[in-house]
């Protein structure tokens, strides 16, 4: 009986997959570069578990002028624009202890300080050209809900805030290294350091990779999510107070106008609970209700912005195709929303296009387009087809 194996049923046969070490470190590195999903699924926190390879054997600058010779095995971006630095070591490498931790912290410190956006963009262009792919297509697959410009802004904000993820990857990680990783991850915020064991099992024509993330302890998770506002139930008064504190005067004016719209014409306003002030605007369509839009004024940190999101997935189950299209066409009058609306249309409206308030407050025509779209929704209330699904 195998102590460590996987039994795969295929074609009516039971195939035994036994664990095999990686022949070389380069073999393990090529697996990660070709199949980054084996890391994303186990190590990427929050949102979509996707990673985009910026490059292999990437030189990390150590000086303001971009000079230096530190090299990281892999550099990725996740769907939230967080840079992910990966150092790969096989268990047989005796350096997988203090030296690799010091090496990773050296990479991270210099990445936060010296990685300009243009440098990252250039590295990604090189990787895309090598794979004969288009850089915009790569970015769209990484974060379908955002434009490339928005994603790069998130990358810049994350670097400025020190929000990066460091992964030490090996086929096996010694307990002594795991203890160091856990300690560092519990102390570091917002940066994150994790270990990933990536076991390889093979049998016949089949190969299976099994990731196991280490370092994301309960204490670490608590430290990274703790906030003075955690668990707060928002209401009208606290929401507007937070908006006044966190938004510009023009943004506050738009927040008030949106809230008035929800209270005057919506069926109900549902206030969020948690660290960021959020309101959910529900509208009635016949005898059914649907959450149509969400307004969030975010955390107040320089790296975050208030945003407005439209739930076309809910609208498409309440309105006719013609009514959904009328609303979408009006929202296409908001320049920064136009491409996101077109993407939602391509996805048969199973999408939630969003816009940051700073992107529209200076454009009176864009703001007007938002409220004309909401007017069109109210007009649709009297002529609603039978709903196809629940709220």
């Amino acid at each position: 009986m195998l102590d460590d194996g996987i039994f795969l049923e295929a074609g009516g046969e039971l195939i035994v997959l036994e664990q095999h070490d990686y022949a070389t470190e380069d073999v393990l590195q090529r697996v990660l570069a070709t199949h980054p999903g084996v890391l994303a699924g186990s190590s990427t926190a929050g949102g979509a578990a996707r990673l985009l390879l910026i490059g292999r054997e990437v030189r990390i600058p150590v000086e303001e002028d971009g000079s230096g010779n530190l090299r990281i095995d892999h550099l990725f971006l996740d769907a939230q624009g967080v840079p992910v630095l990966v150092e790969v070591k096989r268990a047989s490498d005796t350096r997988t202890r203090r030296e690799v931790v010091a090496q990773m912290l050296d990479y991270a410190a210099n990445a936060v300080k010296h990685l300009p956006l243009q440098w990252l963009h250039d590295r990604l262009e090189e990787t895309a050209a090598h794979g004969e792919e288009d850089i915009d297509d790569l970015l769209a697959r990484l974060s379908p809900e955002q434009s490339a410009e928005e994603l790069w802004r998130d990358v810049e904000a994350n670097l400025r805030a020190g929000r990066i993820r460091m992964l030490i990857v090996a086929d096996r990680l010694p307990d002594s290294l795991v203890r160091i990783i856990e300690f560092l991850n519990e102390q570091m915020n917002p940066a994150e350091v994790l270990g990933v064991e990536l076991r390889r099992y093979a049998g016949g024509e089949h190969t299976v990779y099994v990731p196991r993330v280490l370092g994301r302890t309960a204490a670490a998770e608590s430290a990274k999510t703790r906030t003075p506002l955690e668990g707060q139930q928002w209401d009208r008064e606290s929401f507007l107070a937070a908006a006044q504190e966190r938004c510009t005067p023009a943004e506050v004016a738009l927040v008030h106008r949106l809230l008035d719209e929800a209270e005057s014409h919506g069926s109900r306003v549902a206030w969020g609970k948690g660290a960021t002030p959020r309101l959910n605007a529900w509208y009635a369509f016949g005898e059914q209700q649907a959450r149509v839009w969400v307004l969030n004024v975010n955390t107040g940190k320089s790296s975050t912005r208030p945003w407005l999101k439209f739930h076309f997935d809910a609208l498409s189950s309440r309105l006719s195709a013609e009514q959904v299209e009328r609303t979408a066409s009006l929202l296409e009058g908001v320049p920064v929303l136009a491409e996101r609306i077109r993407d939602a249309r391509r996805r048969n409206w199973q999408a939630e296009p969003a816009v940051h308030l700073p992107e529209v407050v200076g454009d009176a025509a864009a703001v007007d387009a938002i409220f004309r779209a909401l007017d069109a929704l109210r007009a649709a209330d009297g002529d609603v087809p039978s709903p196809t699904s629940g709220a």
Side-chain angles (χ1 to χ4, degrees):
M1 180 176 177
L2 290 178
D3 290 331
D4 192 5
I6 292 176
F7 297 89
L8 173 69
E9 183 180 357
E13 296 184 14
L14 192 64
I15 300 171
V16 179
L17 306 180
E18 299 185 38
Q19 185 177 342
H20 290 269
D21 292 337
Y22 297 92
T24 65
E25 186 178 301
D26 184 65
V27 171
L28 177 52
Q29 289 194 25
R30 281 190 280 111
V31 168
L32 302 182
T34 308
H35 308 294
V38 299
L39 289 180
S42 60
S43 67
T44 301
R50 292 186 288 266
L51 289 176
L52 173 62
L53 179 68
I54 297 294
R56 283 189 61 187
E57 297 292 333
V58 176
R59 180 179 60 82
I60 302 294
V62 296
E63 301 293 344
E64 293 287 353
D65 62 4
S67 62
N69 57 7
L70 291 178
R71 289 185 180 273
I72 187 74
D73 289 335
H74 299 79
L75 178 60
F76 295 95
L77 287 181
D78 77 3
Q80 285 73 47
V82 175
V84 181
L85 285 68
V86 177
E87 186 67 11
V88 179
K89 291 289 185 291
R90 286 191 302 157
S92 57
D93 189 333
T94 58
R95 295 175 300 163
T96 54
R97 302 179 90 176
R98 295 181 183 85
E99 183 177 335
V100 70
V101 172
Q103 197 175 34
M104 179 61 81
L105 293 176
D106 198 4
Y107 294 152
N110 284 285
V112 168
K113 187 173 179 60
H114 299 305
L115 278 188
L117 283 188
Q118 188 59 51
W119 184 92
L120 285 169
H121 187 277
D122 292 346
R123 300 293 79 71
L124 180 56
E125 274 199 331
E126 293 171 3
T127 299
H130 183 73
E132 298 183 345
E133 295 196 73
D134 181 79
I135 186 172
D136 289 333
D137 289 342
L138 293 175
L139 292 170
R141 288 202 296 270
L142 175 66
S143 187
E145 298 298 322
Q146 290 183 295
S147 67
E149 182 182 32
E150 287 178 308
L151 183 59
W152 285 120
R153 280 203 298 264
D154 286 346
V155 174
E156 183 177 34
N158 286 328
L159 286 170
R160 187 168 59 245
R163 187 175 295 107
I164 61 172
R165 188 173 303 115
M166 295 162 274
L167 303 182
I168 299 172
V169 181
D171 46 355
R172 290 183 302 278
L173 292 170
D175 291 342
S176 57
L177 178 56
V178 173
R179 285 194 294 271
I180 295 173
I181 291 171
E182 290 177 344
F183 173 79
L184 288 174
N185 201 36
E186 289 171 4
Q187 303 303 314
M188 301 179 75
N189 191 20
E192 189 172 26
V193 56
L194 299 171
V196 178
E197 287 186 341
L198 190 63
R199 304 288 181 93
R200 173 178 175 267
Y201 297 83
E205 299 179 352
H206 302 279
T207 301
V208 173
Y209 298 100
V210 180
R212 178 185 174 216
V213 66
L214 300 163
R216 191 167 278 153
T217 64
E221 292 295 279
S222 176
K224 294 178 193 304
T225 58
R226 192 181 302 124
T227 167
L229 297 174
E230 186 172 8
Q232 175 168 337
Q233 176 63 61
W234 297 92
D235 56 22
R236 191 182 200 281
E237 182 179 357
S238 59
F239 180 88
L240 290 176
Q244 190 72 38
E245 179 182 339
R246 303 175 185 196
C247 301
T248 66
E251 292 162 8
V252 171
L254 180 54
V255 166
H256 275 276
R257 188 175 173 186
L258 284 165
L259 178 55
D260 288 343
E261 155 68 27
E263 292 180 331
S264 300
H265 303 294
S267 59
R268 67 186 175 97
V269 175
W271 300 102
K273 180 178 181 181
T276 58
R278 184 179 72 254
L279 74 83
N280 304 275
W282 290 71
Y283 288 70
F285 300 100
E287 296 181 355
Q288 301 291 320
Q289 294 187 56
R291 182 175 62 166
V292 173
W293 53 267
V294 177
L295 177 62
N296 188 312
V297 300
N298 233 310
T299 67
K301 295 180 180 178
S302 59
S303 59
T304 66
R305 296 171 291 168
W307 50 261
L308 174 66
K309 179 189 295 183
F310 296 91
H311 283 267
F312 272 88
D313 49 354
L315 286 175
S316 65
S317 69
R318 295 287 181 268
L319 301 177
S320 68
E322 180 182 325
Q323 291 164 337
V324 172
E325 183 59 45
R326 185 187 312 142
T327 302
S329 297
L330 288 167
L331 284 177
E332 283 181 299
V334 182
V336 293
L337 265 178
E339 180 55 40
R340 295 164 215 173
I341 295 295
R342 288 192 286 270
D343 179 66
R345 186 181 289 114
R346 288 191 291 269
R347 296 169 60 186
N348 198 29
W349 305 116
Q350 297 306 298
E352 301 170 359
V355 61
H356 290 105
L357 298 196
E359 296 175 315
V360 297
V361 289
D363 186 343
V367 172
D368 183 60
I370 291 173
F371 288 95
R372 284 193 292 114
L374 296 178
D375 285 343
L377 282 178
R378 295 201 301 275
D381 184 14
D383 182 24
V384 179
S386 298
T388 58
S389 64

